[in-house]
Amino acid sequence: MDIDRREFLKAAVGTVAATGFFGPSLKEVLGKPPRPIREFRFHASPARVNLGGGPDLVAWTYNGQIPGPEIRVREGEIIRVFLKNYLPEGTTIHWHGVPVPNAMDGVPEVTQHAVMPGESFVYEFEARPAGSYIYHSHVHYQLDQGLYGALIIEPSKPEESYDREYTLMLEDWVIRDGGGVAPTRRRPPMGMMRGMRGRRWGFGQGEAPLLEPVYDGYAVNGKVAPAMGPLLVKKGDRVKLRLLNPSSATIYDLRLAGHTLTITHVDGNPIVPMETDVLRVGMGERYDVQFVANNPGSWFLAAREGGLGEGRLRIPIQYKGVNRAEPATAVFHRGLRFITYWDFQARYPSGVIPSGPPAKFYRQTLSGGMHSPYWTINGQIYPDAERLAVRRGEWVRIHYWNPSMMPHPMHLHGHFFKVVNPSLSRDHWLLKDTIIVDPMQRVDIEFLADNPGSWFHHCHNLYHMEAGMANVVIYQS
Ligand code: C2O
Ligand code: CU
């Protein structure tokens, strides 16, 4: 789908060059400078961290910090990341949402071998299209141990205006007992182990996948409230927030006290701006929002309590020059606007995004969980899962049906997809790369097979993914 954005840019450049409005200068068009290369050095290693809500814990980190360093580049630049592995097991980095060349996608045994302890690997790809992304390890439970960070690709030409900007990563943690990694891992109860399969990818002989931990720390940018300092704003500011959810198993419903949020981008893609009171952000999803600072005081941007403790995730927002007080909390009363995917419209001039009738159709039934530690697609457990064969250039439709009791944020690597919306023409369907399929819900998506390779396709609940809810899209020649 980077084609879409590329086509769009081409179209935009065309019109603009003709009118000479904000287009590239003649010099830029004629003498194309080499693309700047932006280099980053990441060492993956265990490190002692403190999230502010309890004792130190040993997390797995990039460069010793939680989250990893923010990568911020301009669209069209080349990102080159030197990864050195100081962990006791193999690792990779996946560039979640970015349609990278297949060999750079970071999925063990699908696009590369894991980078073993002491080894290095160089990831290199073009930063395109602009948007908010997440990078993270794609090996075992490493995402839940701290191996993630933000990847921000700024547009090559400014496309929106704002006065200040914050990146906010929403993270679920186990803090008690020394935290996130081994000690609190939950094994399935014996009853569940009966009838379990033996050897599986990712597990030792006969080892069962783990159950979701019971999280007790909800952090933002590595800090649990109240350890996180407030976001400072000035009266009159237009503030942009990039809300990224690298959590392994938590969906957040967010509300900003005293203000209305305007959503501008969904999974990095521009939409016709939409206001909402409550914004749901699933694992792997990204939302760019803006608000106008027109209500001086101290406020919380907070998550709704859904019974798992995620209501403790809160971000203080403080107006400059206003006396610090305990921030006003966000109340989730009845009758709030709660936006859904089908309320959004992609923001492209019509006809610019390619679209066409799907040539292939796949049904994916998402189930499992009840009496087994496994989660499945069409009853199959990855890697013993049928692959979805596609041909380059064709549109592919996937129909998801979720008869299970859990929501599944389904993520497709290497492509954006359109969310099928019968009340809009194809040209305006929302572009995403991760979509929550709710219990008892049916959802259709379509994507253009424009990026050859083998692409992982899975639930972004890490514990569901590791328990089998995954398969691979392959290109046939
Ligand atoms: Cu966030 Cu398979 O990815
Ligand atoms: Cu799932």
Side-chain angles (χ1 to χ4, degrees):
M1 192 49 57
D2 58 327
I3 282 196
D4 290 358
R5 203 84 73 87
R6 228 173 264 151
E7 291 303 322
F8 167 60
L9 284 175
K10 254 193 255 156
V13 166
T15 10
V16 165
T19 61
F21 188 55
F22 62 83
S25 69
L26 206 54
K27 215 169 102 212
E28 278 179 79
V29 174
L30 296 178
K32 268 210 172 158
R35 296 179 182 285
I37 297 176
R38 303 286 309 278
E39 294 190 340
F40 303 86
R41 268 159 222 287
F42 279 19
H43 54 90
S45 61
R48 186 166 291 278
V49 298
N50 194 300
L51 305 177
D56 284 4
L57 54 95
V58 176
W60 286 13
T61 68
Y62 296 114
N63 299 359
Q65 63 187 78
I66 298 289
E70 178 174 301
I71 295 180
R72 188 174 277 263
V73 297
R74 215 165 262 290
E75 187 175 34
E77 290 181 334
I78 304 295
I79 296 177
R80 185 182 285 162
V81 175
F82 297 90
L83 169 68
K84 175 95 203 245
N85 185 6
Y86 295 97
L87 299 167
E89 65 183 42
T91 194
T92 63
I93 305 179
H94 169 59
W95 314 95
H96 178 110
V98 186
V100 297
N102 197 235
M104 295 292 117
D105 199 43
V107 181
E109 307 328 319
V110 176
T111 68
Q112 69 171 105
H113 294 300
V115 183
M116 296 314 283
E119 288 181 355
S120 309
F121 191 85
V122 183
Y123 290 96
E124 183 171 321
F125 55 91
E126 190 182 341
R128 187 179 295 285
S132 305
Y133 302 94
I134 297 166
Y135 65 84
H136 62 80
S137 163
H138 218 296
V139 174
H140 301 309
Y141 300 99
Q142 292 177 4
L143 168 64
D144 209 18
Q145 293 169 248
L147 290 170
Y148 54 79
L151 164 55
I152 308 299
I153 303 179
E154 294 179 338
S156 46
K157 295 274 176 293
E159 47 157 48
E160 51 173 340
S161 68
Y162 44 85
D163 302 297
R164 57 186 80 228
E165 176 191 341
Y166 294 100
T167 304
L168 300 169
M169 307 212 71
L170 318 174
E171 313 158 16
D172 51 10
W173 280 94
V174 177
I175 293 179
R176 66 173 180 282
D177 304 337
V181 196
T184 46
R185 292 290 176 218
R186 294 166 68 223
R187 300 257 157 223
M190 270 328 275
M192 261 190 168
M193 312 270 285
R194 236 176 289 125
M196 247 179 42
R197 335 237 309 207
R199 195 180 60 81
R200 279 197 3 70
W201 171 82
F203 306 106
Q205 201 78 23
E207 220 180 308
L210 300 173
L211 301 182
E212 281 173 34
V214 178
Y215 295 106
D216 61 352
Y218 293 90
V220 177
N221 298 346
K223 288 292 172 213
V224 169
M228 185 197 184
L231 311 183
L232 290 175
V233 303
K234 217 169 65 215
K235 182 162 189 247
D237 275 353
R238 182 174 282 280
V239 184
K240 177 180 174 78
L241 306 177
R242 297 176 189 264
L243 298 161
L244 281 53
N245 184 355
S247 286
S248 291
T250 308
I251 296 174
Y252 303 93
D253 286 341
L254 300 174
R255 172 155 160 75
L256 173 55
H259 302 75
T260 304
L261 296 176
T262 301
I263 306 164
T264 61
H265 296 73
V266 178
D267 291 353
N269 294 296
I271 59 158
V272 176
M274 285 291 284
E275 291 190 349
T276 192
D277 296 320
V278 183
L279 174 63
R280 171 165 295 180
V281 190
M283 296 80 96
E285 287 191 302
R286 293 92 61 210
Y287 285 87
D288 292 13
V289 302
Q290 288 197 4
F291 69 91
V292 179
N294 55 7
N295 195 359
S298 303
W299 307 95
F300 271 131
L301 171 60
R304 184 211 307 258
E305 180 54 77
L308 298 171
E310 68 275 44
R312 276 172 282 163
L313 180 134
R314 46 194 52 221
I315 301 155
I317 293 178
Q318 172 69 39
Y319 279 66
K320 290 183 181 168
V322 172
N323 278 339
R324 282 283 277 280
E326 174 61 12
T329 200
V331 183
F332 291 87
H333 56 78
R334 283 169 146 274
L336 291 176
R337 267 173 302 181
F338 192 116
I339 217 138
T340 77
Y341 299 134
W342 295 272
D343 296 321
F344 297 122
Q345 270 190 50
R347 182 162 56 83
Y348 294 105
S350 89
V352 166
I353 307 179
S355 56
K360 286 249 165 58
F361 181 70
Y362 287 104
R363 288 172 195 280
Q364 304 274 276
T365 299
L366 314 171
S367 57
M370 289 295 268
H371 304 290
S372 130
Y374 292 110
W375 287 91
T376 61
I377 299 179
N378 294 349
Q380 297 163 340
I381 300 167
Y382 184 82
D384 303 321
E386 216 174 304
R387 299 187 291 180
L388 312 186
V390 303
R391 270 178 215 285
R392 188 171 193 171
E394 70 188 3
W395 280 87
V396 181
R397 183 188 282 231
I398 295 181
H399 173 81
Y400 294 114
W401 156 232
N402 177 6
S404 80
M405 301 308 287
M406 296 275 287
H408 302 293
M410 298 303 295
H411 174 50
L412 173 62
H413 286 213
H415 307 73
F416 290 102
F417 52 72
K418 295 188 179 197
V419 180
V420 173
N421 183 345
S423 63
L424 290 178
S425 81
R426 267 205 169 77
D427 289 346
H428 296 108
W429 289 354
L430 177 65
L431 277 181
K432 285 185 98 331
D433 52 63
T434 308
I435 186 166
I436 304 173
V437 187
D438 278 320
M440 305 316 284
Q441 195 185 29
R442 295 174 185 278
V443 175
D444 284 76
I445 62 164
E446 287 183 10
F447 69 94
L448 176 63
D450 63 352
N451 194 4
S454 297
W455 299 101
F456 214 42
H457 165 236
H458 62 92
C459 176
H460 219 282
N461 178 313
L462 181 67
Y463 293 82
H464 295 183
M465 179 187 92
E466 283 292 297
M469 193 172 254
N471 55 30
V472 175
V473 170
I474 50 155
Y475 279 66
Q476 300 169 314
S477 38

